[in-house]
Amino acid sequence: MRDVRGGGTVKVALVDDDQRFLTLQQEYVERFSREEGVPCNAISFTSGFQLMDGYTGTYDAVFLDIEMPGMNGLETAQMLRTADQSVCIVFVTNMAQYAIRGYAVNALDFVVKPIEYFTFADKLKKVLRYRSLRPEREALLSREGGLVRVPYSQIYYLEKDKNYLIYHTQQGAFRERGTVLEKEPDFLDCGFARCTSGCLVNLQHVRKTSRDTVLVGEDTLPLSRQHRKPFVDSLMKYLGGAL
């Protein structure tokens, strides 16, 4: 796998019960992306419950408001750490002393409201520095009531199964709710390509291709006419070191 944590789109979760601050942070992420030339994708949540509902571990950073009703930011962070040990947590708060408690959940940093752009941008740059040190992207997958981290390099391919995706990996098969369409941008960043409309293949594990099939690991998969040329082009770029 050529792509590592330091490359690809930076995925940021913004969590705040105040829509004004969510909108402001969204604008800051977009400005940072334009000015720094770093592709970023920010998703907003209005509560910790909403963030954690079906959490899949795809974020590089979570900007987390501390003072929220229901489940506050510290409680959310504790739950988040149970599911994801490596995501960067940046607390957002009106009172800096509350953020100090965040180090119990290995928070990367905190920012005090009202938020200025350059302060927010400094935190994002810190996330990027941390991200560059992480060895590789990982998928957070479920098995027997627990969560397993599987490096992308260990995923052979993922295929559609109705409303689910089956991840075929060196650790066995995992079945997760989701669609190829929603996963595609992330996996294309990391050396995967579509061989059919319902299947994403890790180019690292392609052993052979023919006119209508591709051998991935020990499995022979169909290669559709629609996807044949873009798949072969992606494979050639990968072998040439361009991906």
Side-chain angles (χ1 to χ4, degrees), residues 27-45:
E27 292 172 353
Y28 284 172
V29 172
E30 293 170 1
R31 177 178 171 182
F32 181 87
S33 182
R34 290 194 307 272
E35 295 185 356
E36 301 296 328
V38 177
C40 298
N41 181 29
I43 305 296
S44 296
F45 301 91

Side-chain angles (χ1 to χ4, degrees), residues 14 19 21 29 42 61 64 67 100 114 132 159 193-194 222 230:
L14 307 171
Q19 187 61 51
F21 284 109
V29 172
L64 184 59
E67 299 102 61
I100 303 302
S132 69
E159 61 178 337
R194 279 193 193 235

Side-chain angles (χ1 to χ4, degrees), residues 64-67 91-96 98-99 110-114:
L64 184 59
D65 183 32
I66 289 184
E67 299 102 61
F91 282 114
V92 181
T93 179
N94 287 313
M95 302 183 71
Y98 289 160
F110 66 92
V111 59
V112 178
K113 295 179 180 179

Side-chain angles (χ1 to χ4, degrees), residues 129-197:
R129 289 193 295 271
Y130 177 83
R131 182 177 183 256
S132 69
L133 299 174
R134 295 163 71 175
E136 185 184 341
R137 287 187 182 273
E138 298 170 318
L140 198 64
L141 304 175
S142 302
R143 173 176 285 172
E144 297 175 355
L147 295 171
V148 179
R149 285 191 165 277
V150 181
Y152 279 26
S153 61
Q154 295 184 16
I155 300 173
Y156 295 112
Y157 61 97
L158 50 153
E159 61 178 337
K160 175 185 175 182
D161 179 24
K162 297 181 181 179
N163 295 325
Y164 290 83
L165 290 173
I166 299 177
Y167 293 74
H168 297 267
T169 81
Q170 293 176 10
Q171 300 183 41
F174 297 82
R175 190 168 183 264
E176 300 282 333
R177 185 173 289 276
T179 67
V180 171
L181 186 62
E182 68 185 14
K183 296 296 181 182
E184 185 175 38
D186 186 44
F187 280 89
L188 291 184
D189 271 347
C190 297
F192 284 67
R194 279 193 193 235
C195 63
T196 68
S197 60

Side-chain angles (χ1 to χ4, degrees), residues 4-12 28-29 31-41 59-63 86-90 108-109 117 119-135 137:
V4 295
R5 269 285 180 179
T9 301
V10 180
K11 297 174 177 61
V12 181
Y28 284 172
V29 172
R31 177 178 171 182
F32 181 87
S33 182
R34 290 194 307 272
E35 295 185 356
E36 301 296 328
V38 177
C40 298
N41 181 29
Y59 297 108
D60 295 294
V62 176
F63 282 75
S86 57
V87 66
C88 295
I89 298 175
V90 179
L108 181 72
D109 210 334
Y117 169 72
T119 300
F120 187 89
D122 282 342
K123 307 309 178 186
L124 272 179
K125 289 177 181 178
K126 190 171 183 178
V127 168
L128 290 178
R129 289 193 295 271
Y130 177 83
R131 182 177 183 256
S132 69
L133 299 174
R134 295 163 71 175
R137 287 187 182 273

Side-chain angles (χ1 to χ4, degrees), residues 199-217:
C199 187
L200 281 167
V201 168
N202 188 342
L203 298 173
Q204 177 183 353
H205 294 292
V206 173
R207 297 172 56 192
K208 182 180 178 181
T209 62
S210 68
R211 183 172 178 79
D212 55 7
T213 63
V214 53
L215 181 62
V216 183

